[in-house]
Amino acid sequence: MPQLFLNERSCESTAGPDRVNRAMTELVKAVVAVAREDGAGTVLVAREPVNALQLAVGHPIGKWIGLPTSRDLWRRLLLLQAKWPHRAVFPEGETYSDVEYRHDGVPVEGLGAAHLTGGLGVSLAVEPHWHADRLALVREELLDDEDGGSEVRDVEIRHAATPEHVESHRHWLRSGTDTARQEALGALRSGAELWERRAELFPLLQFLPLARQNFAELPEVWVRPVGERLGELQDAVSAWDPVRQPIAPQWRSDVRTEFESRRRLCWFPDLDGEHRLFDWHCEFLPKPGRMHFRLVHEERTLRIAYVGRKRGV
């Protein structure tokens, strides 16, 4: 079920009506293209109700809806699920008030929400920098350790403003709608159950035996998020060619290596008893969930060492 997050900054231009209307038509065609891959599961998330959107300064969505060429697209858009504001799709009790995302120095709430939830950002391509299938953002997060301060890093999100952009995400969309796996994950209530079904659901991934206890201790609220992250890792590994991609697979969500100052927390005894660095990691919600693993290039896989609360917190 892909969640599409409307980039509110792309709706703040002073572009002329023809340009804005063309951009909106392309955007809705892109949203419809995503929906074709996922049936009724696609959700469009915006800062406000869709029928109240301003597409540009002085240009309410009604001006686009009133065009004869827009009526069919508008009906299709209305058939999709829509939610607002962005926090409506965040986990209960989570506000992400400690995280800010910027693009070219300007805060972008919708695109940030797409990154936080592993969704897809969508924009009106009235300006050239929104005409891309991926966007680079700067993420700043307040640190919760005793030193305080903030962590600033570059991130990238999947993005679409036209149907052509959606084409580049088609494999990801199809992987994310693996119905059998999603149904299986939805039926699980404990980390122990997830561990027992790991070979069935994630056959390309490897797990250290010591991770079994981590899974057994997972709160129920973390069971499905962990399963979804494992599914994304499974899909990334399935498409990975270590010869063409010698550093890492094309990740399906936010995956990165640990900061040098925290790598001391990422050493685990490997299958052969040797202590090795498992500093690749991803997050899962509610915070501060973390999963640590290392890439095993020679076997075209990754090996998971730890699942649970962010280490050292």
Side-chain angles (χ1 to χ4, degrees), residues 179-241:
T179 304
R181 187 170 69 202
Q182 293 299 320
E183 288 181 353
L185 292 175
L188 300 180
R189 292 294 176 265
S190 72
E193 291 178 301
L194 185 58
W195 174 264
E196 291 301 322
R197 298 191 64 179
R198 69 193 185 284
E200 168 196 347
L201 298 174
F202 320 110
L204 300 181
L205 306 184
Q206 297 180 4
F207 299 78
L208 292 186
L210 59 84
R212 179 173 189 163
Q213 186 61 32
N214 298 154
F215 277 82
E217 295 171 353
L218 284 178
E220 183 176 344
V221 70
W222 270 350
V223 174
R224 180 153 190 164
V226 167
E228 289 175 347
R229 285 291 176 267
L230 289 171
E232 290 165 352
L233 296 177
Q234 162 81 16
D235 293 336
V237 166
S238 71
W240 184 30
D241 180 350

Side-chain angles (χ1 to χ4, degrees), residues 7-9 96-116 129-130 134-142 149-157:
N7 171 20
E8 72 282 357
R9 294 298 181 186
Y96 297 110
S97 58
D98 56 347
V99 184
E100 181 182 73
Y101 289 82
R102 296 184 293 275
H103 181 271
D104 286 346
V106 179
V108 281
E109 182 182 341
L111 297 179
H115 185 262
L116 287 166
H129 55 260
W130 302 134
R134 291 182 180 270
L135 291 176
L137 308 179
V138 174
R139 167 182 164 135
E140 182 171 5
E141 180 178 8
L142 298 177
S150 62
E151 173 193 22
V152 180
R153 60 188 176 89
D154 296 329
V155 300
E156 186 180 71
I157 64 164

